[in-house]
Amino acid sequence: MTREDRPPRRSGPVTGRGSAAWARLALLALAAGVLVPLVAAGLRSVLWVLLGMAGLALAAVGLWWALAHAGTVRMVGSVLCVVAPLAVLALYAAGGMLAPAALSLGLWALAVSAARAAVAPERAGAGHAPAPPPRRPWALMNPRSGGGKVERFRLVERARSAGVRVVVLGTGHQDVAGLAEDAVREGADLLAVAGGDGTQALVAEVASRHDLPFMVVPAGTRNHFALDLGLDREDPAKALDALTDGVELRVDLGFAADRVFVNNASFGTYAAVVGDPAYREEKRQTTLRMLPGLLSGPQASRLRMRADGTRADGLQALLVSNNPYRRAADAARPGRRERLDSGRLGVLGVRVEGAVRAAGLARGPRAAGLLRLTAGEVVVEADTPTVPAGVDGEHVLLPVPVVCRIAPGALRVRVPRGRGGTRWGGAAPDWPRVTRLALGRRAAAQGAARGGD
């Protein structure tokens, strides 16, 4: 049986012990959030809600004009983005609805937070037995990542004092995967990376191939993978505690063709922007310069996608992620993943063909221009022999069609046992289950059992 044929090993309980108190608070806050505007304005509250949605739609139109056009149209769009929401706020204030609307939004936010707390599982790794310390750990460190975090937190010295053989990346191109392979041949029994997500993915693929534990030291700029593992990105040195007091998790790995990604692979507009040589030095200017042509000009991406039984075409941007994101705003900042061991790819597609479709984005996840689903395999197609892709932020050209897949439980990750961090392993708020929890233990237990099937 090969590694990919093995069933995925879960890194923690899929269904945690729900809290009836949190569930009751969630339902109360949700009900209060609905009642506040009704008490303040009666049935007229519906009109105020429609007014707010109209303001969001106008702001979305302005954003489309600002991104997809240049010159005067871009200026008008930029003004509309600001004026539309300010006008709505002014009307709310004049009608005495600003305070009730703010209170209602706050109560809804509280309801969502309480619902997640009610069904949250135990922290990933909380029930795991301590992993034995490695005998010959090896780490690759990039001193340029994260504005010099390696030097600022003295990661090289701290790692070496813990018995780690450290290789520091120099200037110029270096074969990261080759360095990791050399370490394995020389007897390394743990591979670690202090750098960005792109470097982590390259070494993670080597660790996965040799079934060795992998350790993340969040020394990059964003380190989304470390964030979703619950690691402290503000103090990357804490990750070294996993060497002596760690637990091991099994997480999934994503593949775009033969390229591994720990976070996501993006295609279309965002990938084209990232591929511009000027992007690294002038991100904002480069993005504004390129977007009109990429969104509405002759260079506009038109991707086709097949995900299990779903087909879509005319996509301008497509994001395929290693496990689905809880929410997604754009390809550059897609949000958070609730778990890293579901064995499913997340798919987010965007198709906006004009101001009317842009206005529809105000509907949020149900907007016609947004495609969001999960799949075991995603095939990306285009009318060109190759397609630009951003694989964990690294620009590559991949031959079409690009087959994206996920390898469940392919990576052994060593993390500190006592880390703070966030919880992952659960799902977004399940309101039927929250209701069962609030009504009583027996119904909650039955709901939890059904959720774990």
Side-chain angles (χ1 to χ4, degrees):
M1 181 181 290
T2 65
R3 170 175 52 77
E4 291 190 8
D5 292 331
R6 290 197 302 264
R9 289 173 49 189
R10 299 299 180 190
S11 56
V14 175
T15 55
R17 292 171 295 179
S19 166
W22 281 114
R24 294 187 187 105
L25 175 61
L27 294 183
L28 286 173
L30 186 64
V34 174
L35 288 174
V36 164
L38 287 175
V39 171
L43 294 178
R44 288 183 297 122
S45 60
V46 176
L47 298 177
W48 288 109
V49 171
L50 293 176
L51 176 63
M53 293 179 63
L56 289 176
L58 288 173
V61 170
L63 180 62
W64 169 256
W65 287 347
L67 295 179
H69 298 276
T72 303
V73 177
R74 169 170 283 180
M75 293 179 60
V76 172
S78 300
V79 171
L80 187 59
C81 281
V82 177
V83 171
L86 288 179
V88 171
L89 290 176
L91 290 173
Y92 271 53
M97 286 298 295
L98 188 58
L103 179 57
S104 181
L105 288 175
L107 288 167
W108 289 343
L110 174 61
V112 171
S113 298
R116 286 192 176 124
V119 299
E122 296 178 7
R123 188 188 55 194
H128 285 57
R135 295 189 303 272
R136 301 189 66 180
W138 176 89
L140 182 71
M141 298 195 177
N142 186 350
R144 297 178 299 281
S145 290
K149 284 184 179 179
V150 168
E151 181 178 355
R152 188 160 67 252
F153 290 93
R154 299 176 52 247
L155 296 179
V156 174
E157 294 85 349
R158 292 186 182 188
R160 284 175 175 165
S161 66
V164 181
R165 181 192 165 203
V166 178
V167 173
V168 180
L169 282 177
T171 58
H173 175 74
Q174 289 185 267
D175 185 0
V176 170
L179 292 172
E181 288 285 359
D182 291 342
V184 174
R185 283 191 290 270
E186 293 168 6
D189 59 352
L190 178 143
L191 303 181
V193 174
D197 290 320
T199 305
Q200 289 172 11
L202 294 173
V203 178
E205 196 276 332
V206 176
S208 172
R209 191 185 319 131
H210 295 281
D211 200 28
L212 291 176
F214 175 70
M215 192 174 80
V216 176
V217 182
T221 302
R222 295 183 179 88
N223 283 126
H224 293 296
F225 189 48
L227 177 66
D228 292 334
L229 284 170
L231 300 177
D232 188 348
R233 298 186 300 174
E234 301 303 317
D235 186 1
K238 289 182 178 179
L240 297 174
D241 293 343
L243 295 169
T244 54
D245 186 22
V247 296
E248 193 171 288
L249 315 176
R250 278 278 184 179
V251 304
D252 307 334
L253 278 180
F255 288 80
D258 60 345
R259 291 292 299 255
V260 171
F261 57 90
V262 294
N263 292 322
N264 56 63
S266 59
F267 303 88
T269 302
Y270 176 67
V273 171
V274 171
D276 190 281
Y279 178 77
R280 295 296 178 184
E281 299 297 328
E282 298 179 343
K283 290 182 172 61
R284 181 177 299 177
Q285 295 88 334
T286 303
T287 301
L288 291 175
R289 172 176 55 83
M290 295 183 65
L291 276 180
L294 294 173
L295 291 175
S296 57
Q299 297 173 295
S301 299
R302 290 294 181 264
L303 301 171
R304 298 185 299 276
M305 180 275 299
R306 289 183 282 118
D308 293 346
T310 301
R311 293 175 177 268
D313 57 17
L315 298 173
Q316 290 149 303
L318 180 66
L319 185 80
V320 181
S321 59
N322 174 18
N323 285 260
Y325 287 100
R326 184 174 65 204
R327 56 181 178 172
D330 54 51
R333 293 179 294 178
R336 298 286 303 280
R337 288 167 289 183
E338 293 284 0
R339 61 189 298 172
L340 295 172
D341 64 344
S342 71
R344 302 286 288 175
L345 294 168
V347 181
L348 175 69
V350 179
R351 179 174 53 205
V352 181
E353 299 169 347
V356 174
R357 183 65 64 88
L361 294 179
R363 297 180 59 196
R366 297 182 179 181
L370 292 178
L371 170 70
R372 190 171 184 180
L373 50 88
T374 66
E377 181 180 273
V378 177
V379 180
V380 183
E381 299 174 335
D383 294 328
T384 53
T386 61
V387 62
V391 181
D392 281 338
E394 300 294 326
H395 176 73
V396 294
L397 283 176
L398 298 177
V400 174
V402 182
V403 178
C404 300
R405 60 184 177 86
I406 193 165
L411 183 63
R412 300 165 55 189
V413 179
R414 188 75 56 91
V415 295
R417 185 159 56 103
R419 74 197 188 284
T422 58
R423 296 181 175 187
W424 61 271
D430 181 348
W431 288 105
R433 184 180 168 198
V434 170
T435 303
R436 290 193 294 267
L437 279 166
L439 293 178
R441 293 183 178 179
R442 179 175 298 179
Q446 293 172 349
R450 285 194 293 269
D453 291 340

